[in-house]
Amino acid sequence: MRFHHHAYAFPILLGVLTVALVLLVWQTVSPSVQEGYPVLTETREPVTAAEYEQSLQGVMDGFMMNYAIQSNQGDRRAYAGEVLQELLNLRVPAEKKDLHLQIAFGLNNLCQEDEEMCVSGFDQLFEIFAANPWIDSTFK
């Protein structure tokens, strides 16, 4: 039996691989501590409702007009997607989160290829702009 001579190698190899796996898992799970390097944390002041409204108007002003002048549905979806990304970059105060989410959902629906979703998104935004005409000065 030629394989009998190397029978001891399998348990050793299995043990080495197990230890390597444990070390790998421990290293990826444990928080890394780098001594001597300060951890920089950014503290941001909460945004006020007035600041948010100004930022929101900067993103959404002219939306309805620009959406309407796009040459085809694909261009309208792309435009709505760009505006959605800008909207998602805004900092939102707690009292404006519902409005923000409603606008985001409406824009997201406009980005969909499904016609019913697009109509739903347009209707959502129409209602929001009707209730908050300051958001888009081109809305009438």
Side-chain angles (χ1 to χ4, degrees), residues 12 22 36 47 55 57 72 83 85 90 95 101 113 117 123 132:
I12 293 172
V22 167
V47 66
S55 296
Q57 186 179 27
N72 59 51
V83 174
Q85 287 306 310
L90 296 179
E95 64 268 20
L101 287 173
E113 291 190 22
M117 293 291 283
D123 290 345
N132 304 282

Side-chain angles (χ1 to χ4, degrees), residues 85-115:
Q85 287 306 310
E86 289 181 44
L87 180 80
L88 293 176
N89 289 330
L90 296 179
R91 293 177 46 221
V92 184
E95 64 268 20
K96 296 292 185 177
K97 67 179 180 179
D98 289 337
L99 173 65
H100 189 80
L101 287 173
Q102 290 172 356
I103 295 171
F105 287 140
L107 288 170
N108 186 60
N109 286 347
L110 285 177
C111 296
Q112 306 304 312
E113 291 190 22
D114 182 76
E115 186 65 30

Side-chain angles (χ1 to χ4, degrees), residues 1-2 12 19 21 28 43 51 53 58 70 74 77 96 103 106 132 138-139:
M1 289 192 92
R2 294 171 45 157
I12 293 172
V19 169
L21 180 63
T28 57
T43 56
E51 291 169 333
E53 288 176 2
Q70 299 301 314
R77 278 195 302 271
K96 296 292 185 177
I103 295 171
N132 304 282
T138 63
F139 178 74

